[in-house]
Amino acid sequence: MGRFCAVVSFSTSLVMFSLLMTQIIRDGRTVDDNLRKEQPVMTFSSLTIAWATIGFSTSGHACYPLYQNCMRQPAKFNYSLTIAFLGILVLLCSPVYSSYYFLGGAVYTPDSDNLLLVLSDGPIKSIAGIGLAVHFMMSYIFTLNPLCQQIEELAGIPKRFSWQLVVIRSSILAGHVFLAESVPQFGPLLSLVSACLWIPSAFIAPSVFFLCLKHLMNKRNYVTDSTALHLLVIVLAVILVCCCTYSSLVELITAQSTFTVPCYVNSTAAHI
């Protein structure tokens, strides 16, 4: 099931980004030249919040052992990880750079957090939206699986299919849906969560765990060139976490429409 979800997720994302590139180029033909030449003003806040968003979009380290366990040759996990990150980099950067090149200042709208809302309506945009939904559903399945397995192990639930398994996984899914519906405007919180959780897990935790394991395995020759490199990464990551957290808190406090009532209380006030 995990392999099927991964293949479907990657395939839909590849088709979706190809369609987005096509629509971006088509919309770029109608954009005024002066508007296209407009560039955003880079500030400390925008730069750090961008880092937090990037950290969230490339997170998923908790699922890596599951992926490696599903591989036919787990020893080649480093090769698959390198290829995967290069593919993610190409897929994510292609629509971003092309939108700034072809659309320019037309991207800087109140809806610029979502590129689909900036593009003109049409069948290409609709198909891309459907592909994005399928991609998220497939990704959600295999990224949620490690959390479910850990909770099932703590609860002592047998690994075979049973009613306890259905109750636990359905409860976790219902909790996620309730959280999503309770926070209609999740954008400002996304940067804060990423700054506090995802960046430390992506940059700080791997280096700390590596140094601890290295110290346990070889206590004599502890300080090496790789040790200095990991310590540098930890220091820079701590500074990055502090800056991203500060900028995210400022944006969260100063945002005018960050907190709205949930849709199950008032659908009009929740901007639905």
Side-chain angles (χ1 to χ4, degrees):
M1 183 64 180
R3 292 191 182 97
F4 172 78
C5 294
V7 172
V8 173
S9 177
F10 176 77
S11 301
T12 53
S13 62
L14 185 61
V15 174
M16 178 194 64
F17 283 114
S18 300
L19 293 175
L20 285 179
M21 290 288 294
T22 303
Q23 189 64 44
I24 289 171
I25 295 175
R26 293 181 60 181
D27 289 352
R29 298 174 181 175
T30 61
V31 177
D32 184 71
D33 291 338
N34 294 328
L35 184 61
R36 185 185 293 110
K37 295 178 182 179
E38 291 184 5
Q39 297 294 330
V41 178
M42 183 179 297
T43 62
F44 173 80
S45 177
S46 63
L47 182 62
T48 52
I49 291 177
W51 263 106
T53 305
I54 293 173
F56 183 85
S57 63
T58 57
S59 60
H61 302 77
C63 304
Y64 289 171
L66 175 64
Y67 305 153
Q68 186 175 15
N69 186 52
C70 295
M71 293 178 60
R72 295 180 180 177
Q73 297 179 348
K76 296 184 178 181
F77 178 70
N78 57 334
Y79 297 106
S80 63
L81 189 64
T82 303
I83 296 174
F85 268 102
L86 289 176
I88 292 174
L89 185 64
V90 172
L91 289 178
L92 292 181
C93 290
S94 298
V96 172
Y97 285 113
S98 60
S99 62
Y100 281 116
Y101 179 79
F102 290 102
L103 301 179
V107 180
Y108 315 133
T109 65
D111 297 326
S112 59
D113 289 339
N114 190 339
L115 184 59
L116 286 176
L117 298 179
V118 177
L119 299 177
S120 58
D121 297 331
I124 295 180
K125 179 179 176 179
S126 300
I127 297 175
I130 295 174
L132 183 63
V134 175
H135 166 75
F136 281 144
M137 286 190 292
M138 294 295 103
S139 301
Y140 180 76
I141 292 174
F142 66 78
T143 53
L144 183 66
N145 195 42
L147 173 63
C148 294
Q149 290 180 346
Q150 187 174 8
I151 295 177
E152 292 161 5
E153 184 177 353
L154 294 175
I157 298 176
K159 296 183 179 180
R160 65 179 184 276
F161 182 79
S162 61
W163 67 268
Q164 299 98 323
L165 189 72
V166 175
V167 171
I168 287 293
R169 300 211 171 196
S170 299
S171 301
I172 295 175
L173 179 60
H176 285 181
V177 173
F178 177 77
L179 178 62
E181 297 294 343
S182 300
V183 188
Q185 305 296 330
F186 193 71
L189 291 176
L190 178 64
S191 300
L192 181 61
V193 172
S194 176
C196 298
L197 298 177
W198 293 117
I199 293 182
S201 67
F203 295 99
I204 300 177
S207 295
V208 171
F209 295 156
F210 175 81
L211 293 178
C212 291
L213 291 174
K214 187 176 180 180
H215 177 66
L216 293 175
M217 293 179 359
N218 188 5
K219 295 184 178 180
R220 295 181 179 178
N221 300 325
Y222 180 57
V223 179
T224 60
D225 295 338
S226 62
T227 301
L229 179 61
H230 282 283
L231 291 176
L232 178 62
V233 171
I234 293 174
V235 173
L236 294 178
V238 170
I239 297 175
L240 180 63
V241 167
C242 295
C243 295
C244 293
T245 303
Y246 171 78
S247 299
S248 301
L249 287 174
V250 171
E251 185 190 30
L252 192 64
I253 295 173
T254 57
Q256 298 295 329
S257 60
T258 299
F259 297 104
T260 58
V261 296
C263 63
Y264 51 77
V265 176
N266 189 334
S267 60
T268 303
H271 306 292
I272 294 180

